[in-house]
């Protein structure tokens, strides 16, 4: 909770005066599809990512009058040195993902950049999934015994 939620909340509180002074701020939280759909093995992780999604909605409403937007980006598994899911989990995950693969870092980064641009000035309070279509299927992972 302290890493995924409290740190984000406190950072927003500290940066609010700067964003307010500029009358043009954009907050983008890094969430996860685990905050949207259920993964049996990650209750606490999913809870913290769901909390970030709700924080984006609340800040979007509370700080809109100050010209500040807040959104969340919720990726599926992304190819990085840190993401090495269990083989069985990966097979099941990708079989339920319409694009059938992990995301690339630039596919997530490009959405984050877009949300910070003036072109996205009418987007606030949203959680946008970058997930290869996973959440379209309502995936719920339950390991086989």
């Amino acid at each position: 909770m302290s890493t995924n939620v409290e740190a984000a909340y406190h950072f927003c509180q500290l940066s609010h005066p700067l964003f307010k002074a500029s009358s043009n701020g954009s907050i983008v939280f890094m969430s996860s599809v685990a905050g949207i759909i259920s993964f049996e093995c990650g209750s606490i992780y999913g809870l913290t990512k769901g909390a970030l999604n709700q924080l984006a909605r609340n800040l979007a409403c509370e700080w809109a009058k100050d010209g500040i937007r807040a959104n969340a980006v919720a990726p599926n598994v992304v190819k990085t040195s840190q993401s090495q899911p269990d083989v069985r989990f990966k097979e099941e995950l990708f079989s339920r993902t319409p694009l059938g693969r992990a995301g690339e870092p630039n596919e997530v980064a490009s959405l984050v950049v877009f949300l910070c641009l003036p072109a996205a000035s009418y987007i606030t309070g949203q959680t946008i999934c970058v997930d290869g279509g996973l959440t379209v299927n309502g995936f719920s992972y339950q390991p086989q015994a």
Side-chain angles (χ1 to χ4, degrees):
M1 289 298 287
S2 62
T3 300
N4 286 349
V5 181
E6 290 177 28
Y9 175 76
H10 291 303
F11 187 72
C12 287
Q13 294 297 312
L14 290 170
S15 58
H16 180 259
L18 299 171
F19 281 139
K20 186 175 178 177
S22 75
S23 298
N24 184 17
S26 180
I27 298 165
V28 181
F29 294 113
M30 287 308 303
S31 182
S32 168
V33 291
I36 306 289
I37 57 178
S38 173
F39 290 93
E40 186 176 284
C41 56
S43 297
I44 297 299
Y45 182 75
L47 176 133
T48 63
K49 296 304 184 172
L52 281 180
N53 300 341
Q54 186 61 44
L55 182 58
R57 288 188 287 270
N58 282 63
L59 292 182
C61 293
E62 293 172 20
W63 293 357
K65 67 185 179 311
D66 298 325
I68 302 167
R69 297 179 298 111
N71 293 288
V73 172
N76 191 350
V77 172
V78 176
K79 290 181 194 172
T80 68
S81 60
Q82 297 295 314
S83 66
Q84 301 299 322
D86 171 81
V87 173
R88 194 171 55 185
F89 173 76
K90 194 159 104 174
E91 288 173 3
E92 175 69 15
L93 179 69
F94 294 157
S95 74
R96 295 293 313 249
T97 302
L99 292 182
R101 63 176 177 81
E104 297 288 339
N106 67 318
E107 293 172 317
V108 177
S110 60
L111 176 59
V112 173
V113 169
F114 170 72
L115 289 171
C116 295
L117 294 173
S121 62
Y122 201 57
I123 300 172
T124 193
Q126 302 303 304
T127 298
I128 303 173
C129 296
V130 183
D131 65 357
L134 175 68
T135 53
V136 171
N137 289 324
F139 177 83
S140 179
Y141 176 70
Q142 297 172 344
Q144 303 299 314

